[in-house]
């Protein structure tokens, strides 16, 4: 599948450890993630996501990668 990202678009990739928590539905984790993601500088986006969605002692690996297409 080919996805055309418009100039300035941000693509956020992450592993399941970011949104999966024991005692919480996957939908809750994804809703939390989507409520905290804002377009911006990729480094800032990753920092914000990790501080808001991934805080605490992780029970699984967490990887976050943000890529932004330059105009």
């Amino acid at each position: 599948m080919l996805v055309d990202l418009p100039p300035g678009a941000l693509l956020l990739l992450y592993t399941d450890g970011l949104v999966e928590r024991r005692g919480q539905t996957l939908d809750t984790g994804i809703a939390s993630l989507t409520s905290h993601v804002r377009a911006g500088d990729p480094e800032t986006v990753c920092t914000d996501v990790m501080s808001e969605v991934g805080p605490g002692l992780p029970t699984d690996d967490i990887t976050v990668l943000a890529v932004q297409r330059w105009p």
Side-chain angles (χ1 to χ4, degrees), residues 27-41:
D27 290 340
T28 301
I30 292 173
S32 176
L33 174 61
T34 58
S35 72
H36 288 97
V37 174
R38 301 286 177 262
D41 171 66

Side-chain angles (χ1 to χ4, degrees), residues 5-9 68-71:
L5 295 176
Q68 186 174 34
R69 180 177 173 196
W70 285 17

Side-chain angles (χ1 to χ4, degrees), residues 9-10 17 19-20 23 30 32-33 37 43 51 58 65 70:
L10 181 83
V19 294
E20 288 184 346
I30 292 173
S32 176
L33 174 61
V37 174
E43 186 173 344
S51 66
L65 172 67
W70 285 17

Side-chain angles (χ1 to χ4, degrees), residues 52-70:
E52 297 296 327
V53 181
L57 186 60
T59 58
D60 195 1
D61 64 308
I62 297 176
T63 302
V64 178
L65 172 67
V67 179
Q68 186 174 34
R69 180 177 173 196
W70 285 17

Side-chain angles (χ1 to χ4, degrees), residues 12-36:
L12 184 74
L13 305 169
Y14 58 91
T15 58
D16 63 340
L18 182 65
V19 294
E20 288 184 346
R21 300 282 186 272
R22 286 192 172 92
Q24 169 182 298
T25 67
L26 184 58
D27 290 340
T28 301
I30 292 173
S32 176
L33 174 61
T34 58
S35 72
H36 288 97

